[in-house]
Structures are given as structure tokens and as C-alpha cells.
């Protein structure tokens, strides 16, 4: 049920074609399909980038931002005073009419310099709509900006975009991000947005300035996206954009960056509004997934105390089947690796060391996986998740594993 698997509780209006498509399909075809659907009249946008020790990333990804096909936009880069390497990169594009950069003064103390950089960029912007992103992210389509801007209507004050990790990132990090985003995206559509897990966010300059920006949380080191969404989101005023050409790709984070992101959230969530209402559904899902352990153990203890040995034996067998992924199967475990699509089953991940080559459908609702050593037909309750492309196919199969 949806209460047992967050992957089934997907956001409304999601472009499932883009999540179901194979990674081998051409991205050019996707762009061609959606270009004609993109509205021609979109507002001017100011893109704000706040790099810090990201000279290499800015050098690689800034051209992709400047090459957007949007009719009217500017790119404001806010850098640390004295960062000569980043300034040298920006000087190469001095002739580009879309680019403008400014500095954070050295005198800034006892506040988040990242949030200060965003505030300075917003004040320097000439347009009402601001798009906030980071130097380590890049668009995969020239229609990124125009697609995001197509959501800027009356009654909308936030546009919630999506960011995925690149293909070199650890598969679990892909899954963890997608799993978190499914909760946040659905909440943004159905209720009031809680926070932003990506680096692809649009908001209004007038509202940011009129409500004193980050006032009250400048002392917290990070959370520049989370605090904007948490402070300015209202029910029904957040547009969620999920078309593939609106996605950003974030380069593979280091282990330290990935850990710090979670540590910063653990600190920031204590100061975010609506934290309890946001977390109850996630906690309910996790409780439902693991409550069977508690019930089995309770039955085991009760049956031993009351000397009901049939219940003891049944509880013992149930515990072994639950804990051991293969149960009592006499067949060798199926070789399925994270290198290909991840099989996310009722009891978690089924993994091994061999690489999957191709996946194809078989009559009867089964799936045939061609791997380096033979063919395996997979047919148990499972969901295919392509971790590299962060694509989710919520088709369920109810059979058994067999070679």
C-alpha cells in the first residue's frame, strides 16, 4: 500500500513518461516533444549563483547557463572578495550581455555568508523573478530556464524545480535523494511546501525584500533553500515543475559534502515551521515497514511464556524468513547489482556483484534480466528504480524468482 512504500506515493501530475523512459532514449527527442508545449510568453528572470571554492565547476557549467534560449534573463554571480581564481573565470565572459557579478565584502562577520550572497544577488537583480541555483549544478537542456519560467503566473510565488545527481554518484545517494523528494514534492502540491531538497528554486524579489529575506536565520550556516520555501510558501501558491528539460544535474558530491548536507538539515529543521506535520507521514511509513519485527518478537515472547510451542515455532520461522533475504530457498541467490536498475522489493534491496546488461519484458507480466552469466527471470513483488537516471517505474509483479 502507499503507507508501506513511499515510492508509490508519487506527486500528482508527475510526467511519468519521463520517469518510465529508458535511459537509452534520446534526450533530443524529449526536448523536441516539449518545446512546442512551452509557452512563448514568459517573464524575465534573474539567475543567482553563489560559488565558493567552485572555480572549476563554474568554468565548466557557466556556459550552459548563459546559453539558455530564454528571451530575457540575467546571470548574477556573487563571489567572495579576493577570490581571484573565480574572478578570472568571470572575466572571460565579460562581453556576455547576460552576465553580471558582484562581491561579498570582507567585513561580513557572524552570519551565513552564503545567505548574505543570496541577499546581495537579489538586491542587485533587475527582474521580479529570481532563480536560485549553485555552481556545481548544470542544466541538461537549453529549455531549462524557459520551462521553469513558464510557471510564473499570478497567484504563484514559488516555483519548485528538481535536481538530480550525475551518473557517477553512489547509487544509494541517488535513491535517498529521490525518496526524500517524493515526500517533499507531494507535500508542495497538496499542502504547503515544507523545504527544498534540490538546487533549482524560483521566488519573487518583491516578496523576499518586503519580508526581510533571511531575517531571523542568518546566523545558521546553511539552509538557504529550505528557509526560503519554509518562510514564503503558502498553500496553493507553489508551482511544481517536473518536466525533464527543467531538471538540473548536480555533480557528484564528496562524502564530506553529502554528510554535511544532512547534518545542516538536522540542525535547521529545529527552526523550520511545520516540521511535525511534515515528518509524521515519513515516520508512519518507516514504522509500518518495520512493525512486523516487533509483532513477531512479541509473539515469540508471549508463546514462550505461555508455553504455546506451535506459535513459538511459527514466530521463529517468520523471524528467519523476515531477516534472511532468501528465506528457505534452496536455489542460489539471484545476481542483481546496483550497476543496472535496482530491484526494490517488499523486503528491501536484492543486490550482488554482477552487472546487468539489458532488461526486457516477458509474457505474463514478468521481467527477463540478461546478465553476464546467463538469464534470470524476476517475478516477485518489486519496483524498478533506475538509480542513475532517478527514474521510477511503479509496475508490480507477483510471482517467484527462478532461473
Amino acid at each position: 500500500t502507499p503507507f508501506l512504500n513511499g515510492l508509490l506515493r508519487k506527486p500528482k501530475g508527475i510526467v511519468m513518461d519521463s520517469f518510465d523512459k529508458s535511459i537509452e532514449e534520446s534526450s533530443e527527442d524529449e526536448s523536441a516533444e516539449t518545446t512546442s508545449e512551452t509557452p512563448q510568453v514568459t517573464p524575465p528572470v534573474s539567475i543567482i549563483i553563489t560559488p565558493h571554492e567552485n572555480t572549476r565547476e563554474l568554468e565548466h557549467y557557466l556556459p550552459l547557463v548563459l546559453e539558455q534560449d530564454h528571451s530575457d534573463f540575467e546571470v548574477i554571480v556573487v563571489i567572495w572578495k579576493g577570490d581571484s581564481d573565480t574572478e578570472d573565470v568571470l572575466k572571460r565572459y565579460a562581453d556576455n550581455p547576460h552576465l553580471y557579478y558582484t562581491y561579498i565584502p570582507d567585513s561580513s562577520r557572524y552570519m551565513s555568508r552564503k545567505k548574505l550572497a543570496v541577499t546581495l544577488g537579489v538586491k542587485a537583480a533587475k527582474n521580479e523573478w529570481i532563480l536560485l541555483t549553485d555552481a556545481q549544478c548544470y542544466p541538461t537542456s537549453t529549455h531549462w530556464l524557459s520551462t521553469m519560467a513558464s510557471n510564473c503566473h499570478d497567484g504563484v510565488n514559488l516555483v519548485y524545480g528538481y535536481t538530480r545527481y550525475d551518473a557517477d554518484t553512489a547509487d544509494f545517494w541517488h535513491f535517498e535523494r529521490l525518496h526524500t523528494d517524493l515526500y517533499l514534492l507531494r507535500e508542495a502540491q497538496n499542502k504547503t511546501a515544507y523545504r527544498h531538497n534540490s538546487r533549482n528554486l524560483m521566488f519573487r524579489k518583491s516578496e523576499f525584500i518586503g519580508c526581510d529575506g533571511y531575517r531571523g536565520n542568518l546566523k545558521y550556516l546553511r539552509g538557504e533553500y529550505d528557509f526560503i520555501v519554509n518562510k514564503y510558501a503558502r498553500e496553493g501558491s507553489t508551482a511544481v515543475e517536473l518536466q525533464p528539460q527543467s531538471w538540473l544535474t548536480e555533480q557528484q558530491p564528496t562524502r564530506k559534502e553529502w554528510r554535511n548536507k544532512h547534518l545542516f538539515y538536522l540542525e535547521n529543521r529545529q527552526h523550520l515551521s511545520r516540521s511535525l506535520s511534515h515528518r509524521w507521514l515519513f515516520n508512519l511509513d518507516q514504522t509500518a515497514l518495520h512493525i512486523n519485527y516487533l509483532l513477531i518478537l512479541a509473539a515469540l515472547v508471549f508463546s514462550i511464556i505461555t508455553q504455546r510451542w506451535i506459535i513459538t515455532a511459527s514466530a521463529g520461522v517468520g523471524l528467519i524468513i523476515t531477516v534472511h533475504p532468501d528465506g528457505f530457498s534452496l536455489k542460489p541467490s539471484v545476481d542483481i547489482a546496483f550497476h543496472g536498475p535496482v530491484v526494490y522489493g517488499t523486503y528491501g534491496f536484492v543486490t550482488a556483484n554482477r552487472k546487468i546488461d539489458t532488461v526486457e519484458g516477458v509474457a505474463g507480466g514478468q521481467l527477463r534480466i540478461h546478465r553476464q552469466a546467463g538469464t534470470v527471470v524476476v517475478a516477485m513483488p518489486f519496483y524498478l528504480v533506475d538509480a542513475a537516471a532517478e527514474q521510477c517505474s511503479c509496475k508490480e509483479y507477483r510471482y517467484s524468482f527462478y532461473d
Side-chain angles (χ1 to χ4, degrees):
T1 69
F3 290 103
L4 295 179
N5 194 332
L7 289 174
L8 283 181
R9 198 183 297 102
K10 56 184 179 292
K12 292 189 306 181
I14 194 168
V15 184
M16 285 307 297
D17 287 344
S18 65
F19 278 74
D20 287 335
K21 285 179 181 177
S22 170
I23 192 173
E24 289 85 6
E25 290 191 15
S26 170
S27 60
E28 288 83 359
D29 293 341
E30 293 180 0
S31 300
E33 288 180 1
T34 53
T35 301
S36 60
E37 300 175 1
T38 303
Q40 297 298 318
V41 179
T42 52
V45 179
S46 296
I47 303 173
I48 296 178
I49 304 175
T50 58
H52 179 53
E53 298 179 350
N54 299 117
T55 303
R56 183 181 64 85
E57 293 85 352
L58 190 67
E59 183 177 11
H60 289 166
Y61 304 146
L62 182 59
L64 300 177
V65 177
L66 295 173
E67 292 170 358
Q68 291 298 301
D69 64 355
H70 194 59
S71 58
D72 187 1
F73 72 97
E74 63 176 350
V75 179
I76 302 174
V77 182
V78 186
I79 63 175
W80 270 236
K81 188 71 174 179
D83 187 354
S84 57
D85 292 337
T86 302
E87 189 172 359
D88 289 340
V89 172
L90 296 173
K91 286 180 178 179
R92 300 176 196 172
Y93 302 95
D95 296 334
N96 191 301
H98 296 297
L99 182 62
Y100 170 80
Y101 60 94
T102 185
Y103 303 92
I104 299 176
D106 290 330
S107 58
S108 304
R109 296 289 187 274
Y110 311 114
M111 65 178 66
S112 168
R113 304 194 80 186
K114 193 75 171 178
K115 295 191 184 75
L116 178 60
V118 174
T119 303
L120 293 175
V122 172
K123 290 183 176 180
K126 66 179 183 180
N127 299 316
E128 166 68 4
W129 280 100
I130 309 295
L131 195 157
L132 180 61
T133 186
D134 278 346
Q136 58 267 42
C137 300
Y138 61 92
T140 56
S141 169
T142 57
H143 309 304
W144 161 62
L145 184 55
S146 58
T147 305
M148 289 290 292
S150 66
N151 295 277
C152 300
H153 308 301
D154 294 339
V156 173
N157 71 329
L158 292 174
V159 180
Y160 199 116
Y162 179 68
T163 304
R164 63 179 181 179
Y165 288 129
D166 65 20
D168 295 329
T169 306
D171 295 295
F172 174 73
W173 294 0
H174 277 285
F175 174 79
E176 186 266 348
R177 184 171 200 164
L178 175 61
H179 187 261
T180 301
D181 280 334
L182 288 177
Y183 285 93
L184 295 174
L185 289 167
R186 187 176 184 275
E187 191 169 18
Q189 289 180 331
N190 296 340
K191 301 177 183 178
T192 304
Y194 171 64
R195 70 181 184 96
H196 191 60
N197 192 46
S198 298
R199 303 173 188 266
N200 191 9
L201 178 67
M202 294 187 72
F203 56 93
R204 291 181 179 270
K205 174 181 177 178
S206 59
E207 188 171 19
F208 184 87
I209 299 297
C211 297
D212 298 325
Y214 288 112
R215 184 177 182 180
N217 51 63
L218 271 173
K219 58 186 176 182
Y220 307 119
L221 190 59
R222 295 303 300 269
E224 56 273 11
Y225 295 88
D226 292 346
F227 284 113
I228 288 179
V229 171
N230 193 259
K231 182 176 181 178
Y232 299 106
R234 300 186 300 271
E235 186 172 0
S237 69
T238 303
V240 177
E241 178 54 68
L242 294 174
Q243 294 188 67
Q245 65 268 26
S246 70
W247 296 357
L248 291 178
T249 300
E250 182 179 350
Q251 73 169 19
Q252 177 184 3
T254 64
R255 184 169 295 276
K256 179 180 179 181
E257 291 172 339
W258 187 82
R259 182 177 64 250
N260 285 345
K261 177 182 178 181
H262 290 74
L263 291 176
F264 285 135
Y265 169 63
L266 290 177
E267 168 62 24
N268 293 336
R269 77 180 185 186
Q270 302 176 52
H271 313 287
L272 296 175
S273 303
R274 306 182 298 279
S275 289
L276 291 178
S277 60
H278 163 75
R279 290 185 56 78
W280 81 268
L281 187 58
F282 175 82
N283 291 334
L284 175 64
D285 285 349
Q286 297 305 308
T287 301
L289 281 171
H290 299 98
I291 198 171
N292 64 307
Y293 290 98
L294 299 177
L295 295 177
I296 291 174
L297 291 174
L300 193 61
V301 172
F302 171 78
S303 62
I304 292 175
I305 294 175
T306 59
Q307 297 184 353
R308 301 184 180 186
W309 306 120
I310 295 179
I311 298 179
T312 302
S314 300
V317 172
L319 184 62
I320 293 174
I321 294 175
T322 302
V323 173
H324 195 281
D326 295 322
F328 288 112
S329 176
L330 299 178
K331 294 178 289 186
S333 60
V334 179
D335 293 316
I336 298 176
F338 275 112
H339 301 293
V342 178
V343 173
Y344 181 73
T346 305
Y347 301 107
F349 292 105
V350 183
T351 63
N353 298 318
R354 294 181 181 173
K355 180 179 179 182
I356 293 175
D357 295 323
T358 58
V359 179
E360 65 178 5
V362 184
Q366 300 172 353
L367 209 73
R368 176 174 291 128
I369 296 179
H370 298 281
R371 51 183 170 82
Q372 292 177 346
T375 300
V376 176
V377 176
V378 181
M380 64 172 283
F382 71 91
Y383 308 96
L384 280 179
V385 179
D386 188 329
E390 295 190 47
Q391 296 176 345
C392 175
S393 176
C394 296
K395 297 180 180 179
E396 189 173 358
Y397 300 81
R398 295 186 177 276
Y399 298 91
S400 303
F401 276 112
Y402 62 93
D403 285 330

